[in-house]
Amino acid sequence: MDKLKLNWFSELNPLWPGQCMSLEVEEVLFNEKSEYQDVLVFKSKSYGNVLVLDGVIQCTERDEFSYQEMIVHLPLFSHPNPKKVLIIGGGDGGALREVLKHSCVEEVTICEIDKVVIEVSKKYLPLMAKSFSDPRVNKFVGDGIKFMERYKNHFDVIITDSSDPQGPAKDIFEKPYYEKMKHSLKEGGLLCCQGECLWLHLDIICNMKQFCEELFPIVDYAYCTIPTYPSGQIGFLLCSKNPEQDFKNPLRVVSNEELESMKLRYYNHDVHKASFVLPQFASKALKCNKAESNPFFSKEAEEDD
């Protein structure tokens, strides 16, 4: 609650030193510490209800659709016939909602380590968390990394909808986690993971892309815009076991009629292709998997990281 001052929430974090997103608070709806993290939900003045974990905004009712649609539809439209999908994280239910819009999907397993996130999302983010009761859904509350150890060559697509590399999500940004995902994917399977921000975490992105290229024949990076994420942008790291995969050109193209029936508000065919077009500084860094140091980050901020 120390970040709730004068009816404003400010997202202060060493992962984005010297800057923060602030939202005006109308009412605090939930504020407790779960077994894993601080969980806060508040009603904002202009973005609806907001879910915050360990002081970091996870989603708002106003702009959540951009991230949720892209982390799901980039990989699912890149697969010819995804039937079995695994979601690691995503306890707010947004990614689950989007996966279930694909009629070809027969089974979705969602692994969320923190049951409190699921509970508060059902209560305060009902339009995101409305799909947990769908008969195609298997819900597992626990460690997603340990869960994957049970399955080999089982899933067509794995989506990792995680928070930033802190607290319970830290291991999800390491090579052993990607090795486990590769083990759990079918031949020809693919994955999509939350890929941080080009403006803030290019060094983290380059490191992840480098070890992914040691594991998968095809690795690519895309991004979307979203106002309430740090610097208004977040990326997606995509990997495929299929050496012929071309993420930039989806295998299944959504028609205008399907865009309407699926109630898509951000994703379309052109956005899919455009999301892989990176600004020059990022494209240059990701070609060699080496980011230049940021001269505007102070030495103190780097040490805090």
Side-chain angles (χ1 to χ4, degrees):
M1 288 289 287
D2 58 332
K3 295 180 181 179
L4 291 168
K5 296 179 180 179
L6 300 176
N7 297 322
W8 284 80
F9 169 82
S10 295
E11 188 185 47
L12 302 168
N13 193 291
L15 281 174
W16 37 91
Q19 69 179 68
C20 73
M21 176 70 177
S22 294
L23 293 174
E24 189 170 359
V25 179
E26 288 196 340
E27 181 184 1
V28 175
L29 302 172
F30 183 92
N31 187 34
E32 292 184 11
K33 186 172 181 62
S34 74
E35 182 181 353
Y36 298 97
Q37 56 203 335
D38 290 317
V39 182
L40 167 68
V41 182
F42 65 87
K43 180 181 179 182
S44 70
K45 189 174 182 66
S46 56
Y47 278 84
N49 290 352
V50 181
L51 173 64
V52 179
L53 301 179
D54 279 342
V56 177
I57 295 170
Q58 303 301 305
C59 56
T60 81
E61 290 182 303
R62 178 178 171 181
D63 65 3
E64 54 87 8
F65 65 91
S66 65
Y67 170 78
Q68 309 294 350
E69 289 185 17
M70 291 295 279
I71 199 170
V72 168
H73 301 309
L74 285 176
L76 262 66
F77 280 117
S78 295
H79 194 285
N81 189 25
K83 294 182 177 181
K84 293 185 177 181
V85 178
L86 172 64
I87 302 172
I88 302 294
D92 54 49
L96 179 62
R97 176 194 66 201
E98 296 302 318
V99 169
L100 291 169
K101 292 179 180 180
H102 292 256
S103 59
C104 55
V105 172
E106 298 175 354
E107 175 185 300
V108 190
T109 302
I110 181 166
C111 297
E112 167 61 52
I113 196 169
D114 195 339
K115 66 179 180 180
V116 176
V117 174
I118 297 174
E119 292 168 357
V120 299
S121 297
K122 286 181 177 180
K123 185 173 182 179
Y124 299 111
L125 301 166
L127 294 181
M128 295 181 67
K130 63 183 181 180
S131 300
F132 281 99
S133 60
D134 190 288
R136 291 176 287 171
V137 175
N138 299 315
K139 183 181 73 176
F140 175 80
V141 178
D143 190 326
I145 298 176
K146 292 181 180 178
F147 176 86
M148 281 192 294
E149 294 174 354
R150 308 178 191 176
Y151 295 91
K152 182 180 180 180
N153 299 327
H154 186 79
F155 298 103
D156 297 301
V157 177
I158 298 176
I159 296 166
T160 303
D161 177 13
S162 72
S163 52
D164 295 298
Q166 298 173 316
K170 186 175 181 179
D171 291 342
I172 285 175
F173 290 81
E174 303 293 337
K175 185 175 181 180
Y177 175 68
Y178 281 77
E179 291 173 334
K180 287 182 170 61
M181 284 195 288
K182 181 180 179 181
H183 176 84
S184 296
L185 283 171
K186 293 180 180 178
E187 289 304 312
L190 53 90
L191 62 86
C192 182
C193 298
Q194 190 267 95
E196 293 301 305
C197 176
L198 291 170
W199 291 101
L200 299 169
H201 311 124
L202 195 53
D203 55 341
I204 296 175
I205 297 166
C206 287
N207 178 62
M208 293 173 65
K209 181 171 173 283
Q210 183 172 34
F211 68 62
C212 283
E213 288 174 341
E214 298 170 2
L215 300 172
F216 296 91
I218 300 295
V219 179
D220 216 329
Y221 188 87
Y223 75 98
C224 75
T225 63
I226 176 168
T228 54
Y229 281 2
S231 295
Q233 178 268 322
I234 196 161
F236 310 98
L237 189 63
L238 296 103
C239 307
S240 178
K241 295 175 75 172
N242 175 11
E244 303 300 320
Q245 184 82 53
D246 179 6
F247 282 117
K248 296 178 178 66
N249 292 290
L251 292 178
R252 297 185 296 124
V253 178
V254 61
S255 67
N256 289 332
E257 292 75 17
E258 288 172 317
L259 285 174
E260 293 300 318
S261 65
M262 295 174 74
K263 299 181 179 178
L264 299 182
R265 301 169 63 196
Y266 191 97
Y267 178 94
N268 60 39
H269 179 64
D270 291 332
V271 166
H272 182 120
K273 297 173 69 175
S275 67
F276 292 91
V277 180
L278 305 181
Q280 180 60 18
F281 77 92
S283 178
K284 180 180 177 181
L286 288 174
K287 281 181 181 178
C288 61
N289 293 329
K290 185 176 181 180
E292 295 181 2
S293 61
N294 188 335
F296 300 101
F297 277 5
S298 68
K299 184 176 180 181
E300 291 78 8
E302 291 176 352
E303 288 174 351
D304 288 342
D305 262 356

